[in-house]
Amino acid sequence: MDRSNQTSPVMGFILLGLSAHPKLEKTFFVLILVMYLVILLGNGVLILVTILDSHLHTPMYFFLGNLSFLDICYTTSSVPLILNSFLTPRKTIPFSACVMQMFLSFAMGATECVLLGMMAFDRYVAICNPLRYPVVMSKAAYVPMAASSWAAGITNSVVQTSQAMRLPFCGDNVINHFTCEILAVLKLACADISINVISMVVANVIFLGVPVVFIFVSYVFIIATILRIPSAEGRKKAFSTCSAHLTVVVVFYGTILFMYGKPKSKDPQGADKQDISDKLTSLFYGVVTPMLNPIIYSLRNKDVKAAMKNLVCQ
């Protein structure tokens, strides 16, 4: 029977989160709050030093500044909602707020996929064509590259969110998640979601598959170039400029591919059931990854450390 004929349209949603595990809620509230503060501090400091220190006005640090700002926006779109859900007995969210949170999270995630691909290209040019690097990666090139990453992510989010919100929602309004995650929301629709699933598969190919292939090919050339460097010290120095980016790529894409690589249509037998491990994986992607990015990629970088020291001493 069509659920749209049974009840009135949903005006808001209930976020289930970890409500079945109240002890875990208290533990994760403290843990996620600390992680969120680290995200704000680490990424905020990185943005500040890349703006204020002229030595960091290069394509690599420009992209890093964008990545840090993106991580702050992404976590801010979801973490306050998660923290509130851990403290509030009735974890409700209005329909409009759910749409906005879903749009921001989806936009930031898609943008980061593209941005990591742009950063791989930057490392490819720096190592494989160092003499042409100032010309290829000029300001006239890397600024539009970053802007196009944002534009692509936002456009994709507009498409996916608008398609989801055109669906009728009625009956069940319990989202078995911490936030308004798009797949969890789609399961509550009282209409066929096959078009949404196809659209998400296409988006996955474009924003997951294409950047992953591009990054892989870039690193094939990068590694081949590094292996041709005669001195061990030279090889070590060249690889050190890429190892952090490669680590971030593995953490980010490894988690997101596990979560979103295979969109699922709604399950009428258990629309509200989701294993707790899937929720914790989502939490890892949404909180831990943005926290690790500045630590892995930037705060352990000698140039950034020197810039921070100069900033403090001024």
Side-chain angles (χ1 to χ4, degrees):
M1 184 182 294
D2 190 349
R3 286 189 293 168
S4 61
N5 296 326
Q6 295 179 2
T7 57
S8 59
V10 169
M11 303 303 295
F13 296 100
I14 298 174
L15 300 172
L16 194 58
L18 291 174
S19 57
H21 307 275
K23 292 183 179 179
L24 284 179
E25 285 188 322
K26 295 182 177 65
T27 301
F28 276 101
F29 174 82
V30 175
L31 184 61
I32 293 174
L33 178 60
V34 172
M35 289 180 175
Y36 183 51
L37 294 177
V38 172
I39 290 170
L40 295 179
L41 179 62
N43 288 287
V45 168
L46 179 58
I47 293 172
L48 188 64
V49 297
T50 55
I51 292 175
L52 297 180
D53 194 309
S54 59
H55 296 95
L56 301 183
H57 292 175
T58 63
M60 182 176 74
Y61 291 109
F62 179 77
F63 287 130
L64 282 174
N66 274 263
L67 183 63
S68 293
F69 179 69
L70 189 153
D71 283 338
I72 289 176
C73 292
Y74 177 80
T75 52
T76 302
S77 72
S78 58
V79 170
L81 181 63
I82 295 173
L83 293 175
N84 180 67
S85 71
F86 288 154
L87 298 177
T88 308
R90 185 157 181 85
K91 313 168 193 302
T92 59
I93 181 172
F95 187 86
S96 58
C98 184
V99 172
M100 181 57 66
Q101 189 272 319
M102 182 165 55
F103 167 78
L104 291 174
S105 295
F106 210 90
M108 298 303 105
T111 299
E112 187 159 353
C113 291
V114 182
L115 190 61
L116 288 173
M118 299 294 185
M119 295 168 76
F121 178 75
D122 172 72
R123 293 298 85 204
Y124 162 77
V125 178
I127 292 177
C128 299
N129 296 282
L131 297 180
R132 297 195 61 199
Y133 184 76
V135 176
V136 176
M137 295 303 296
S138 65
K139 189 173 183 179
Y142 67 76
V143 171
M145 286 171 64
S148 65
S149 299
W150 286 91
I154 291 172
T155 300
N156 178 58
S157 185
V158 168
V159 172
Q160 301 300 332
T161 305
S162 61
Q163 285 184 339
M165 291 306 99
R166 282 202 294 266
L167 293 170
F169 293 91
C170 49
D172 295 337
N173 68 334
V174 178
I175 298 176
N176 196 10
H177 210 275
F178 296 107
T179 62
C180 292
E181 196 269 343
I182 191 166
L183 293 180
V185 173
L186 287 178
K187 291 180 180 181
L188 303 182
C190 47
D192 180 52
I193 62 170
S194 57
I195 298 299
N196 301 78
V197 173
I198 293 172
S199 178
M200 289 198 66
V201 169
V202 173
N204 283 342
V205 171
I206 295 173
F207 288 92
L208 293 177
V210 173
V212 165
V213 171
F214 184 80
I215 292 170
F216 176 78
V217 172
S218 297
Y219 272 97
V220 168
F221 285 103
I222 288 172
I223 293 173
T225 301
I226 291 176
L227 293 177
R228 289 198 297 267
I229 298 176
S231 67
E233 185 65 25
R235 290 194 297 270
K236 181 179 179 181
K237 183 178 180 180
F239 185 73
S240 67
T241 65
C242 303
S243 59
H245 174 259
L246 192 57
T247 303
V248 168
V249 167
V250 170
V251 172
F252 178 80
Y253 280 108
T255 309
I256 199 172
L257 282 171
F258 177 80
M259 291 170 53
Y260 297 110
K262 189 178 181 181
K264 300 175 183 179
S265 60
K266 62 182 180 179
D267 180 7
Q269 300 299 321
D272 296 331
K273 295 182 179 180
Q274 180 179 4
D275 190 85
I276 189 172
S277 64
D278 292 335
K279 294 182 180 181
L280 296 181
T281 300
S282 172
L283 206 58
F284 172 80
Y285 165 67
V287 181
V288 178
T289 303
M291 183 187 70
L292 292 178
N293 282 352
I295 297 173
I296 294 173
Y297 209 137
S298 305
L299 296 184
R300 297 173 64 182
N301 182 285
K302 293 181 179 179
D303 294 335
V304 174
K305 285 183 177 180
M308 292 173 61
K309 184 178 180 180
N310 293 334
L311 183 64
V312 172
C313 294
Q314 286 179 355

